[in-house]
Amino acid sequence: FSFFFFFENNFLRSCYMSSNKDFTKSIVSGLQRAKQFTAESFGKAEKTELDSDLEYLIARTERIKQSTERLLKQTEAYLQPNPNIRLEKTLLTTLRRKQREHPVELELLGQTMLDIGSAFTEHPFGDALTRCGKVQLELGERWCHLQATVSDRFLKPMKTFLETDVKQSAVERKKMNTLRLDYDASRNKAKSASPEKQEQAEEKVRAAKDAFERQMETVKLQLEAIQRTNDESVHRLAAFVDAQHDFYASAAEMTASLGRELRRNAGLEPPSYIQALSDPTSPPQPAAAAVSHSNPSSAAAAAA
């Protein structure tokens, strides 16, 4: 029992002393960096400048980060125009809570048309609203599919890019700047070292320089990889455009079919642009031409 007590007591004491030494060393290093940074700010200390290639990569990475964040924000606004719902989604994601389902505007419009149409079943306008409401609901479902596709194939990779590659590069750059301050601080300290401590000071300068240059190369490789990742983002943009095409193509087909059905049931002539499409040789008609064929009394009744 006494052996284990002795071992445990000495082990804990050594750990405590080791942690105190590390803490003291960390405080000293932090003070030296702060002193170096302050002297650089006032132009009283030499500062190692980064090479032009690395400076270019850093500036370009910052532009990529800002552009990606802006594109991400605007795409989310396109998919969900309601800012309150976007804010709610952000908060629930941050709190890791389950997302609530919200109907899209097309679904709300479609349901409203169905409700009003069911109240006027004896009138042709009520039947037309019911038909139109069903199409709006289907368009709403297709818009939800567009939202899911764009979120999965376009937004999610962008978020991953920001939260992994770009975020990690910022961590590595911060570490590089810290090592750069250590290197410059050791250089300036070596200049004022006494002759008997000069060799030891120069050894610290060489060690700090090696650490800084290794980290600088790590940062450069990482930033170059970010440039390649950004260049490969075109296929994700193509996926976004494909999703848009699928939605708007189906919406054009569905609404054109609905318009023909509504006009046929009401005994109306098709609009001029449809007549021009069906007969390319015919001259374009003014937009008001189609209205002249309608029955004013039936239009007034429908409006009533």
Side-chain angles (χ1 to χ4, degrees), residues 269-281:
E269 291 291 335
S272 57
Y273 73 91
I274 292 183
Q275 291 179 345
L277 289 175
S278 60
D279 185 9
T281 61

Side-chain angles (χ1 to χ4, degrees), residues 181-235:
L181 286 172
D182 289 342
Y183 169 52
D184 287 339
S186 64
R187 281 200 308 155
N188 293 325
K189 190 174 181 180
K191 292 179 181 179
S192 59
S194 59
E196 60 272 13
K197 293 184 178 181
Q198 189 65 38
E199 184 177 352
Q200 182 182 3
E202 291 178 355
E203 180 62 30
K204 288 184 178 180
V205 171
R206 287 192 292 268
K209 181 180 180 182
D210 290 341
F212 167 60
E213 289 179 346
R214 286 197 303 270
Q215 184 62 23
M216 188 166 56
E217 187 62 27
T218 299
V219 170
K220 184 178 292 186
L221 291 174
Q222 195 169 46
L223 296 182
E224 288 173 348
I226 287 178
Q227 314 305 311
R228 292 192 296 271
T229 301
N230 186 63
D231 293 339
E232 294 168 359
S233 300
V234 178
H235 73 278

Side-chain angles (χ1 to χ4, degrees), residues 242-272:
D242 289 342
Q244 277 190 313
H245 174 267
D246 291 342
F247 172 77
Y248 289 113
S250 61
E253 181 179 353
M254 292 167 60
T255 52
S257 177
L258 175 63
R260 288 192 297 268
E261 182 181 0
L262 294 178
R263 288 178 176 277
R264 183 173 60 251
N265 293 342
L268 302 175
E269 291 291 335
S272 57

Side-chain angles (χ1 to χ4, degrees), residues 2 14 24-25 44 53 107 122 135 139 143 155 182 186 200 215 256 283:
S2 60
S14 64
T24 303
K25 184 178 179 180
K44 296 182 178 180
D53 291 340
E107 291 176 324
E122 74 286 350
V135 171
L139 287 175
W143 180 260
L155 294 182
D182 289 342
S186 64
Q200 182 182 3
Q215 184 62 23

Side-chain angles (χ1 to χ4, degrees), residues 163-180:
E163 294 171 0
T164 55
D165 297 354
V166 175
K167 189 174 182 180
Q168 184 60 34
S169 72
V171 172
E172 296 297 335
R173 282 162 52 194
K174 184 177 180 180
K175 183 178 179 181
M176 179 188 69
N177 290 330
T178 299
L179 292 174
R180 199 273 306 162

Side-chain angles (χ1 to χ4, degrees), residues 136-152:
Q136 300 304 316
L137 285 177
E138 188 172 350
L139 287 175
E141 293 178 2
R142 292 175 183 266
W143 180 260
C144 290
H145 179 71
L146 167 69
Q147 287 179 321
T149 302
V150 173
S151 296
D152 185 59

Side-chain angles (χ1 to χ4, degrees), residues 36-79:
Q36 175 67 24
F37 179 79
T38 303
E40 290 175 357
S41 300
F42 288 96
K44 296 182 178 180
E46 293 184 10
K47 176 182 178 181
T48 301
E49 300 294 339
L50 303 177
D51 65 77
S52 58
D53 291 340
L54 183 56
E55 290 281 9
Y56 170 77
L57 288 173
I58 291 174
R60 183 172 172 81
T61 300
E62 280 300 313
R63 290 198 299 271
I64 290 173
K65 175 179 177 292
Q66 294 171 6
S67 300
T68 304
E69 290 173 340
R70 181 182 175 189
L71 180 60
L72 182 66
K73 181 179 179 181
Q74 198 58 47
T75 306
E76 289 177 339
Y78 163 72
L79 295 177

